[in-house]
PDB file of all heavy atoms in Angstrom:
ATOM      1  N   THR E 316      -5.464   3.967   1.994  1.00  0.00           N
ATOM      2  CA  THR E 316      -5.596   4.857   3.146  1.00  0.00           C
ATOM      3  C   THR E 316      -6.893   4.632   3.906  1.00  0.00           C
ATOM      4  O   THR E 316      -7.119   5.242   4.934  1.00  0.00           O
ATOM      5  CB  THR E 316      -5.524   6.333   2.707  1.00  0.00           C
ATOM      6  OG1 THR E 316      -6.570   6.580   1.763  1.00  0.00           O
ATOM      7  CG2 THR E 316      -4.181   6.656   2.090  1.00  0.00           C
ATOM      8  N   GLY E 317      -7.749   3.773   3.413  1.00  0.00           N
ATOM      9  CA  GLY E 317      -9.036   3.531   4.052  1.00  0.00           C
ATOM     10  C   GLY E 317      -8.939   2.530   5.183  1.00  0.00           C
ATOM     11  O   GLY E 317      -7.890   1.949   5.463  1.00  0.00           O
ATOM     12  N   SER E 318     -10.049   2.343   5.863  1.00  0.00           N
ATOM     13  CA  SER E 318     -10.144   1.334   6.918  1.00  0.00           C
ATOM     14  C   SER E 318     -11.531   0.711   6.841  1.00  0.00           C
ATOM     15  O   SER E 318     -12.429   1.241   6.196  1.00  0.00           O
ATOM     16  CB  SER E 318      -9.887   1.944   8.291  1.00  0.00           C
ATOM     17  OG  SER E 318     -10.828   2.960   8.562  1.00  0.00           O
ATOM     18  N   LEU E 319     -11.676  -0.429   7.500  1.00  0.00           N
ATOM     19  CA  LEU E 319     -12.937  -1.165   7.490  1.00  0.00           C
ATOM     20  C   LEU E 319     -13.439  -1.257   8.926  1.00  0.00           C
ATOM     21  O   LEU E 319     -12.877  -1.992   9.737  1.00  0.00           O
ATOM     22  CB  LEU E 319     -12.727  -2.558   6.890  1.00  0.00           C
ATOM     23  CG  LEU E 319     -13.965  -3.417   6.685  1.00  0.00           C
ATOM     24  CD1 LEU E 319     -14.945  -2.758   5.717  1.00  0.00           C
ATOM     25  CD2 LEU E 319     -13.565  -4.796   6.164  1.00  0.00           C
ATOM     26  N   VAL E 320     -14.456  -0.479   9.250  1.00  0.00           N
ATOM     27  CA  VAL E 320     -14.994  -0.464  10.606  1.00  0.00           C
ATOM     28  C   VAL E 320     -15.807  -1.732  10.849  1.00  0.00           C
ATOM     29  O   VAL E 320     -16.243  -2.407   9.912  1.00  0.00           O
ATOM     30  CB  VAL E 320     -15.856   0.798  10.873  1.00  0.00           C
ATOM     31  CG1 VAL E 320     -15.010   2.055  10.744  1.00  0.00           C
ATOM     32  CG2 VAL E 320     -17.052   0.856   9.958  1.00  0.00           C
ATOM     33  N   ASP E 321     -16.007  -2.052  12.117  1.00  0.00           N
ATOM     34  CA  ASP E 321     -16.797  -3.216  12.484  1.00  0.00           C
ATOM     35  C   ASP E 321     -18.201  -3.103  11.899  1.00  0.00           C
ATOM     36  O   ASP E 321     -18.825  -2.040  11.947  1.00  0.00           O
ATOM     37  CB  ASP E 321     -16.872  -3.336  14.003  1.00  0.00           C
ATOM     38  CG  ASP E 321     -17.667  -4.545  14.420  1.00  0.00           C
ATOM     39  OD1 ASP E 321     -17.386  -5.646  13.916  1.00  0.00           O
ATOM     40  OD2 ASP E 321     -18.592  -4.393  15.245  1.00  0.00           O
ATOM     41  N   GLY E 322     -18.677  -4.198  11.322  1.00  0.00           N
ATOM     42  CA  GLY E 322     -20.013  -4.243  10.740  1.00  0.00           C
ATOM     43  C   GLY E 322     -20.064  -3.853   9.279  1.00  0.00           C
ATOM     44  O   GLY E 322     -21.097  -4.002   8.637  1.00  0.00           O
ATOM     45  N   ALA E 323     -18.953  -3.368   8.747  1.00  0.00           N
ATOM     46  CA  ALA E 323     -18.918  -2.930   7.343  1.00  0.00           C
ATOM     47  C   ALA E 323     -18.335  -4.025   6.457  1.00  0.00           C
ATOM     48  O   ALA E 323     -17.723  -4.982   6.932  1.00  0.00           O
ATOM     49  CB  ALA E 323     -18.099  -1.653   7.221  1.00  0.00           C
ATOM     50  N   SER E 324     -18.516  -3.849   5.158  1.00  0.00           N
ATOM     51  CA  SER E 324     -17.928  -4.765   4.188  1.00  0.00           C
ATOM     52  C   SER E 324     -17.344  -3.942   3.042  1.00  0.00           C
ATOM     53  O   SER E 324     -17.716  -2.788   2.837  1.00  0.00           O
ATOM     54  CB  SER E 324     -18.964  -5.762   3.668  1.00  0.00           C
ATOM     55  OG  SER E 324     -19.981  -5.088   2.963  1.00  0.00           O
ATOM     56  N   VAL E 325     -16.415  -4.569   2.319  1.00  0.00           N
ATOM     57  CA  VAL E 325     -15.774  -3.902   1.192  1.00  0.00           C
ATOM     58  C   VAL E 325     -15.467  -4.947   0.128  1.00  0.00           C
ATOM     59  O   VAL E 325     -15.156  -6.091   0.445  1.00  0.00           O
ATOM     60  CB  VAL E 325     -14.486  -3.159   1.628  1.00  0.00           C
ATOM     61  CG1 VAL E 325     -13.432  -4.126   2.126  1.00  0.00           C
ATOM     62  CG2 VAL E 325     -13.934  -2.298   0.515  1.00  0.00           C
ATOM     63  N   LYS E 326     -15.610  -4.563  -1.130  1.00  0.00           N
ATOM     64  CA  LYS E 326     -15.228  -5.435  -2.238  1.00  0.00           C
ATOM     65  C   LYS E 326     -13.720  -5.305  -2.410  1.00  0.00           C
ATOM     66  O   LYS E 326     -13.206  -4.219  -2.632  1.00  0.00           O
ATOM     67  CB  LYS E 326     -15.960  -5.018  -3.521  1.00  0.00           C
ATOM     68  CG  LYS E 326     -15.613  -5.852  -4.726  1.00  0.00           C
ATOM     69  CD  LYS E 326     -16.205  -7.238  -4.646  1.00  0.00           C
ATOM     70  CE  LYS E 326     -15.963  -7.972  -5.961  1.00  0.00           C
ATOM     71  NZ  LYS E 326     -16.476  -9.315  -5.938  1.00  0.00           N
ATOM     72  N   ILE E 327     -13.010  -6.429  -2.260  1.00  0.00           N
ATOM     73  CA  ILE E 327     -11.556  -6.445  -2.396  1.00  0.00           C
ATOM     74  C   ILE E 327     -11.222  -6.829  -3.829  1.00  0.00           C
ATOM     75  O   ILE E 327     -11.562  -7.925  -4.285  1.00  0.00           O
ATOM     76  CB  ILE E 327     -10.910  -7.446  -1.406  1.00  0.00           C
ATOM     77  CG1 ILE E 327     -11.231  -7.066   0.034  1.00  0.00           C
ATOM     78  CG2 ILE E 327      -9.413  -7.535  -1.654  1.00  0.00           C
ATOM     79  CD1 ILE E 327     -10.613  -5.776   0.506  1.00  0.00           C
ATOM     80  N   THR E 328     -10.597  -5.922  -4.542  1.00  0.00           N
ATOM     81  CA  THR E 328     -10.132  -6.191  -5.895  1.00  0.00           C
ATOM     82  C   THR E 328      -8.625  -5.996  -5.896  1.00  0.00           C
ATOM     83  O   THR E 328      -8.117  -5.071  -5.260  1.00  0.00           O
ATOM     84  CB  THR E 328     -10.789  -5.255  -6.926  1.00  0.00           C
ATOM     85  OG1 THR E 328     -10.523  -3.907  -6.574  1.00  0.00           O
ATOM     86  CG2 THR E 328     -12.282  -5.478  -6.972  1.00  0.00           C
ATOM     87  N   PHE E 329      -7.934  -6.877  -6.543  1.00  0.00           N
ATOM     88  CA  PHE E 329      -6.480  -6.822  -6.536  1.00  0.00           C
ATOM     89  C   PHE E 329      -5.937  -7.451  -7.800  1.00  0.00           C
ATOM     90  O   PHE E 329      -6.636  -8.199  -8.489  1.00  0.00           O
ATOM     91  CB  PHE E 329      -5.913  -7.526  -5.294  1.00  0.00           C
ATOM     92  CG  PHE E 329      -6.245  -8.989  -5.219  1.00  0.00           C
ATOM     93  CD1 PHE E 329      -5.309  -9.937  -5.574  1.00  0.00           C
ATOM     94  CD2 PHE E 329      -7.491  -9.426  -4.789  1.00  0.00           C
ATOM     95  CE1 PHE E 329      -5.598 -11.290  -5.501  1.00  0.00           C
ATOM     96  CE2 PHE E 329      -7.795 -10.775  -4.713  1.00  0.00           C
ATOM     97  CZ  PHE E 329      -6.842 -11.710  -5.078  1.00  0.00           C
ATOM     98  N   LYS E 330      -4.676  -7.139  -8.089  1.00  0.00           N
ATOM     99  CA  LYS E 330      -4.022  -7.738  -9.243  1.00  0.00           C
ATOM    100  C   LYS E 330      -3.722  -9.190  -8.907  1.00  0.00           C
ATOM    101  O   LYS E 330      -3.067  -9.482  -7.910  1.00  0.00           O
ATOM    102  CB  LYS E 330      -2.736  -6.994  -9.575  1.00  0.00           C
ATOM    103  CG  LYS E 330      -2.050  -7.503 -10.811  1.00  0.00           C
ATOM    104  CD  LYS E 330      -0.812  -6.701 -11.122  1.00  0.00           C
ATOM    105  CE  LYS E 330      -0.157  -7.281 -12.359  1.00  0.00           C
ATOM    106  NZ  LYS E 330       1.088  -6.607 -12.664  1.00  0.00           N
ATOM    107  N   HIS E 331      -4.219 -10.096  -9.728  1.00  0.00           N
ATOM    108  CA  HIS E 331      -4.027 -11.508  -9.447  1.00  0.00           C
ATOM    109  C   HIS E 331      -3.593 -12.255 -10.688  1.00  0.00           C
ATOM    110  O   HIS E 331      -3.689 -11.758 -11.795  1.00  0.00           O
ATOM    111  CB  HIS E 331      -5.270 -12.144  -8.839  1.00  0.00           C
ATOM    112  CG  HIS E 331      -6.558 -11.689  -9.455  1.00  0.00           C
ATOM    113  ND1 HIS E 331      -6.937 -11.988 -10.728  1.00  0.00           N
ATOM    114  CD2 HIS E 331      -7.541 -10.914  -8.952  1.00  0.00           C
ATOM    115  CE1 HIS E 331      -8.112 -11.443 -10.987  1.00  0.00           C
ATOM    116  NE2 HIS E 331      -8.498 -10.784  -9.933  1.00  0.00           N
ATOM    117  N   SER E 332      -3.078 -13.424 -10.449  1.00  0.00           N
ATOM    118  CA  SER E 332      -2.689 -14.301 -11.549  1.00  0.00           C
ATOM    119  C   SER E 332      -3.686 -15.457 -11.591  1.00  0.00           C
ATOM    120  O   SER E 332      -4.648 -15.475 -10.832  1.00  0.00           O
ATOM    121  CB  SER E 332      -1.268 -14.809 -11.326  1.00  0.00           C
ATOM    122  OG  SER E 332      -1.189 -15.509 -10.106  1.00  0.00           O
ATOM    123  N   ASN E 333      -3.445 -16.417 -12.445  1.00  0.00           N
ATOM    124  CA  ASN E 333      -4.415 -17.513 -12.559  1.00  0.00           C
ATOM    125  C   ASN E 333      -4.092 -18.650 -11.596  1.00  0.00           C
ATOM    126  O   ASN E 333      -3.988 -19.795 -11.984  1.00  0.00           O
ATOM    127  CB  ASN E 333      -4.535 -17.992 -14.005  1.00  0.00           C
ATOM    128  CG  ASN E 333      -3.248 -18.601 -14.525  1.00  0.00           C
ATOM    129  OD1 ASN E 333      -2.202 -18.451 -13.912  1.00  0.00           O
ATOM    130  ND2 ASN E 333      -3.324 -19.290 -15.637  1.00  0.00           N
ATOM    131  N   VAL E 334      -3.942 -18.314 -10.329  1.00  0.00           N
ATOM    132  CA  VAL E 334      -3.834 -19.315  -9.265  1.00  0.00           C
ATOM    133  C   VAL E 334      -5.065 -19.180  -8.381  1.00  0.00           C
ATOM    134  O   VAL E 334      -5.682 -18.122  -8.332  1.00  0.00           O
ATOM    135  CB  VAL E 334      -2.538 -19.149  -8.423  1.00  0.00           C
ATOM    136  CG1 VAL E 334      -1.308 -19.341  -9.273  1.00  0.00           C
ATOM    137  CG2 VAL E 334      -2.511 -17.810  -7.739  1.00  0.00           C
ATOM    138  N   CYS E 335      -5.402 -20.235  -7.686  1.00  0.00           N
ATOM    139  CA  CYS E 335      -6.605 -20.207  -6.858  1.00  0.00           C
ATOM    140  C   CYS E 335      -6.314 -20.032  -5.370  1.00  0.00           C
ATOM    141  O   CYS E 335      -7.108 -19.434  -4.656  1.00  0.00           O
ATOM    142  CB  CYS E 335      -7.414 -21.489  -7.068  1.00  0.00           C
ATOM    143  SG  CYS E 335      -8.219 -21.551  -8.686  1.00  0.00           S
ATOM    144  N   LEU E 336      -5.191 -20.573  -4.890  1.00  0.00           N
ATOM    145  CA  LEU E 336      -4.919 -20.543  -3.449  1.00  0.00           C
ATOM    146  C   LEU E 336      -4.178 -19.276  -3.048  1.00  0.00           C
ATOM    147  O   LEU E 336      -3.073 -19.001  -3.528  1.00  0.00           O
ATOM    148  CB  LEU E 336      -4.122 -21.775  -3.022  1.00  0.00           C
ATOM    149  CG  LEU E 336      -4.856 -23.103  -3.159  1.00  0.00           C
ATOM    150  CD1 LEU E 336      -3.966 -24.245  -2.679  1.00  0.00           C
ATOM    151  CD2 LEU E 336      -6.174 -23.091  -2.413  1.00  0.00           C
ATOM    152  N   TRP E 337      -4.795 -18.527  -2.143  1.00  0.00           N
ATOM    153  CA  TRP E 337      -4.262 -17.242  -1.690  1.00  0.00           C
ATOM    154  C   TRP E 337      -4.242 -17.202  -0.166  1.00  0.00           C
ATOM    155  O   TRP E 337      -5.029 -17.876   0.497  1.00  0.00           O
ATOM    156  CB  TRP E 337      -5.128 -16.109  -2.223  1.00  0.00           C
ATOM    157  CG  TRP E 337      -5.036 -15.974  -3.694  1.00  0.00           C
ATOM    158  CD1 TRP E 337      -5.708 -16.712  -4.638  1.00  0.00           C
ATOM    159  CD2 TRP E 337      -4.199 -15.086  -4.427  1.00  0.00           C
ATOM    160  NE1 TRP E 337      -5.342 -16.322  -5.895  1.00  0.00           N
ATOM    161  CE2 TRP E 337      -4.416 -15.320  -5.801  1.00  0.00           C
ATOM    162  CE3 TRP E 337      -3.292 -14.093  -4.054  1.00  0.00           C
ATOM    163  CZ2 TRP E 337      -3.765 -14.615  -6.796  1.00  0.00           C
ATOM    164  CZ3 TRP E 337      -2.645 -13.387  -5.048  1.00  0.00           C
ATOM    165  CH2 TRP E 337      -2.876 -13.649  -6.396  1.00  0.00           C
TER     166      TRP E 337
END
Side-chain angles (χ1 to χ4, degrees):
T316 59
S318 60
L319 185 61
V320 298
D321 181 50
S324 64
V325 64
K326 179 72 173 179
I327 300 293
T328 58
F329 62 101
K330 184 178 179 184
H331 40 68
S332 59
N333 64 347
V334 298
C335 288
L336 294 181
W337 293 81

